[in-house]
Amino acid sequence: MSADVAGYPRQQRAGVARFLPIAGWLPDYGRRVFRHDLIAGLTVAVMLVPQSMAYAALAGMPPVTGLYASIVPLLVYALLGTSGSLAVGPVAITALMTAGALAPLADGDPGRYAALAGVLAIMVGAIQVSMGVLRLGAVVNFLSHSVLAGFTSAAALIIAASQLKDLFGLDADRAEGFPQILASLGRTAATVHWPTVAVSVVSLAGLVLLKRFWPKLPGALLVVAGVTVASAAFGFGERGVRILTEVPGGLPVPALPGLSIQDVTALLPAALTIALVAYMEGIAVAKALAAKSRQRVNPDTELVAVGGANVSAGLFGGFPVAGGFSRSAVNMSAGARTPIATIITALVVAVTALALTPAFHHLPKAVLAAIVIVAVAGLVDWRSALSAWRARHVDGIALALTFAVTLLLGVEPGLAAGVAFSLGVFLWRSSRPHHAELGRVPGTTTFRNVARYDGLITDPRVAVLRVDGPFYFASAQQVGDWVMGIAEQREALQTIVLDASAIGDCDADGAHALTDLSRRLADRGVTLRLATLRGPVRDLLRRAGVWELLHSEHRVHPDIGAAVAAAGGAFAGNGSDGSAPPRFSQEVL
């Protein structure tokens, strides 16, 4: 087996590699590729350590659990995943969703909160693995780009608002919803701690400037190191700046969280939502990076891999994880070729958790808040809102609806509202497929939409109609009424030719509606003829007993020209009339 130019195999071996992708490419792994993976793994590690601690705080967990969620889950993904560049670990959106799901159930008990987080991660992983085994990766297609853009933009604002408490040193209680967060901030605005504000300003400025002018440097790590040193030297903690104080060291020990069936039931909606969002975020970036590196990503295998990572996160004291956009981009740009880079990242994080946690004793919480805010700032995607509205107003409405509901009611209701609205629009549009009347292009045997072209040849005795969509229970009535409306308006009409080239699907209701339409037209002295029927539709009509009736009466034709010729239409010419082709009218939609 040969590897591609990136060092990752084009195809995976059969057998064990089918279930353990690493076995497909590891035998061909070379020293040159390892050099790239080593650099990428170290680069992502110095970025992940401060980010994981910040996202743990965002999830309502102790900062060290962010390190826990960045060790074993990364190793599991490296064994099971198909992407050589995807960086799995704690991410902002799933951390926010975790906090929103656990806070109402934990009753302020840190031990119960941690146990709930573990169970939630295991549930998320179990759902993802099950979806992968059942090959349900395509279910994420129900999360349209507009819905995701609205959701992530609102979630970014919620995340940023939730960090203002630590950014300003306010004595505010933790709140989950955006209105509640704003209300809490407003009540405690007088408790702002100016030394903390100074630390926040310096941290934000350092992160932004490093990202802008020196993007290849580990900005978050440099800011964490610099501010921590300053905090220890000048006693920030003694001046009222909240610091991490003791950060437990050591590696996590696997344990199965023990909770009641009631807790599991209460967590199920959040687990389903996080499972979909986490997978969607990961597979989107994995596919984008795979296209650049000429790798192949298997969506269903990715579900199993990310699911396994989440199960391990729950067993090893962490919380739900996903593939992150920013870290994955850094991973690839730093030279990652295979999941070995992820293994190196996990080992560096493990060393940090084992030996370096005392170095974070004087780290101000405001620095972690600044890291989160800078990380999610790019998620507010106003360009997608404008683009969606320009492309189709209903997409813009879906984005705005998802954004508003997520911002006001929370992430789960926001996603549910967006998906429900998108599905409703889909059903509405599929029940009202586009349809058009056709005329012949002079000098050709081609038929085009009379509403879009000028100068087409038509015949008052024959109407050629086209339906651009499925002919099934939801659309059959509407299409039938349209056809009958044309028949009722034209006294000279003798034949209707239905161009079925764009009808890709039909059901029993559609077949019966076609029979009924043929009968109603016949009662008015109009013959219905079908042209360019697709194979699956023809098969359905045959099973429904409609095909034999139409075919025996010679009312089914291979193309429009044959149908018009059979009807004796005056515009069924052979295209030799020498007429000039029509001029396209852009004003008619």
Side-chain angles (χ1 to χ4, degrees):
M1 179 191 66
S2 61
D4 63 15
V5 294
Y8 204 59
R10 294 182 185 272
Q11 296 180 342
Q12 296 173 346
R13 288 192 174 98
V16 68
R18 208 175 146 195
F19 307 99
L20 201 64
I22 192 173
W25 53 264
L26 191 58
D28 298 297
Y29 192 75
R31 183 177 301 176
R32 180 179 62 87
V33 177
F34 176 74
R35 183 174 67 253
H36 291 289
D37 285 340
L38 177 62
I39 295 172
L42 293 174
T43 302
V44 173
V46 298
M47 180 181 183
L48 178 58
V49 168
Q51 270 194 356
S52 64
M53 297 176 70
Y55 293 152
L58 175 61
M61 299 284 287
V64 72
T65 60
L67 300 179
Y68 295 165
S70 304
I71 302 174
V72 179
L74 273 65
L75 297 175
V76 172
Y77 178 81
L79 295 175
L80 302 177
T82 59
S83 172
S85 304
L86 186 65
V88 172
V91 296
I93 291 180
T94 56
L96 172 69
M97 298 172 72
T98 298
L102 302 186
L105 302 177
D107 300 324
D109 182 352
R112 176 172 168 77
Y113 196 104
L116 286 168
V119 170
L120 180 62
I122 292 173
M123 292 175 65
V124 168
I127 292 170
Q128 291 173 329
V129 170
S130 300
M131 290 176 61
V133 171
L134 297 175
R135 300 184 180 277
L136 298 179
V139 74
V140 297
N141 293 333
F142 289 107
L143 295 174
S144 68
H145 176 75
S146 297
V147 170
L148 282 175
F151 167 74
T152 53
S153 295
L157 292 180
I158 297 173
I159 291 169
S162 70
Q163 299 305 297
L164 295 179
K165 175 175 69 73
D166 289 329
L167 211 63
F168 289 94
L170 301 176
D171 294 329
D173 295 329
R174 184 180 181 87
E176 302 307 325
F178 190 73
Q180 293 81 5
I181 292 174
L182 293 183
S184 177
L185 294 175
R187 288 193 301 268
T188 58
T191 64
V192 61
H193 187 254
W194 294 109
T196 299
V197 174
V199 172
S200 300
V201 170
V202 170
S203 301
L204 287 171
L207 290 168
V208 172
L209 292 175
L210 285 169
K211 184 177 182 180
R212 173 68 177 84
F213 296 104
W214 298 281
K216 293 186 177 181
L217 294 179
L221 188 66
L222 292 176
V223 170
V224 165
V227 178
T228 301
V229 170
S231 175
F234 297 103
F236 286 1
E238 299 171 1
R239 300 175 185 273
V241 177
R242 297 188 181 98
I243 60 177
L244 294 186
T245 64
E246 182 180 356
V247 180
L251 297 177
V253 177
L256 185 65
L259 293 173
S260 65
I261 189 64
Q262 289 80 7
D263 293 323
V264 173
T265 303
L267 288 173
L268 185 57
L272 285 168
T273 307
I274 294 174
L276 289 176
V277 172
Y279 172 65
M280 187 66 184
E281 183 172 359
I283 196 64
V285 68
K287 285 185 174 181
L289 297 178
K292 295 180 180 180
S293 60
R294 290 185 289 173
Q295 297 175 1
R296 293 181 60 187
V297 174
N298 186 307
D300 294 315
T301 304
E302 284 296 298
L303 266 172
V304 174
V306 177
N310 271 298
V311 170
S312 66
L315 295 176
F316 284 87
F319 49 92
V321 298
F325 286 99
S326 59
R327 289 196 304 271
S328 297
V330 169
N331 196 31
M332 181 178 179
S333 63
R337 298 292 189 268
T338 74
I340 292 295
T342 299
I343 294 176
I344 293 170
T345 298
L347 294 177
V348 173
V349 176
V351 171
T352 302
L354 187 64
L356 301 180
T357 53
F360 298 105
H361 177 92
H362 294 282
L363 175 62
K365 293 183 179 180
V367 178
L368 298 180
I371 291 173
V372 171
I373 289 177
V374 172
V376 302
L379 295 178
V380 180
D381 192 1
W382 58 269
R383 289 186 180 86
S384 287
L386 294 177
S387 175
W389 180 259
R390 285 195 299 263
R392 196 173 64 173
H393 286 355
V394 71
D395 291 334
I397 294 173
L399 189 152
L401 175 67
T402 306
F403 177 86
V405 176
T406 301
L407 204 62
L408 297 176
L409 301 180
V411 290
E412 287 89 356
L415 269 181
V419 171
F421 179 80
S422 297
L423 289 176
V425 170
F426 167 76
L427 292 174
W428 185 85
R429 287 175 61 83
S430 68
S431 68
R432 290 164 174 78
H434 175 265
H435 42 64
E437 182 173 358
L438 308 182
R440 184 169 66 83
V441 178
T444 74
T445 57
T446 302
F447 288 78
R448 290 289 183 263
N449 186 348
V450 297
R452 288 182 176 269
Y453 289 83
D454 297 329
L456 296 178
I457 301 174
T458 59
D459 187 332
R461 297 171 300 168
V462 180
V464 180
L465 309 179
R466 188 186 71 215
V467 178
D468 300 331
F471 194 69
Y472 71 130
F473 69 93
S475 64
Q477 182 65 44
Q478 194 267 347
V479 172
D481 291 343
W482 169 64
V483 174
M484 287 303 303
I486 292 177
E488 293 168 358
Q489 294 170 9
R490 305 180 186 182
E491 295 183 359
L493 190 65
Q494 299 175 0
T495 301
I496 287 181
V497 175
L498 184 61
D499 174 17
S501 60
I503 298 177
D505 189 25
C506 184
D507 63 1
D509 287 354
H512 295 315
L514 191 63
T515 303
D516 182 64
L517 177 61
S518 177
R519 179 185 56 77
R520 292 166 63 192
L521 289 172
D523 291 341
R524 298 189 61 85
V526 178
T527 301
L528 176 66
R529 296 183 179 275
L530 302 182
T532 56
L533 273 173
R534 292 187 177 186
V537 176
R538 185 171 61 246
D539 295 340
L540 186 284
L541 294 180
R542 181 178 289 109
R543 292 193 298 270
V546 178
W547 171 261
E548 288 77 6
L549 173 65
L550 297 172
H551 194 266
S552 63
E553 297 178 359
H554 306 289
R555 289 192 283 146
V556 181
H557 307 277
D559 53 49
I560 300 175
V564 173
F571 66 150
N574 58 11
S576 59
D577 52 14
S579 303
R583 177 175 56 85
F584 182 75
S585 175
Q586 297 186 11
E587 290 75 26
V588 182
L589 301 180

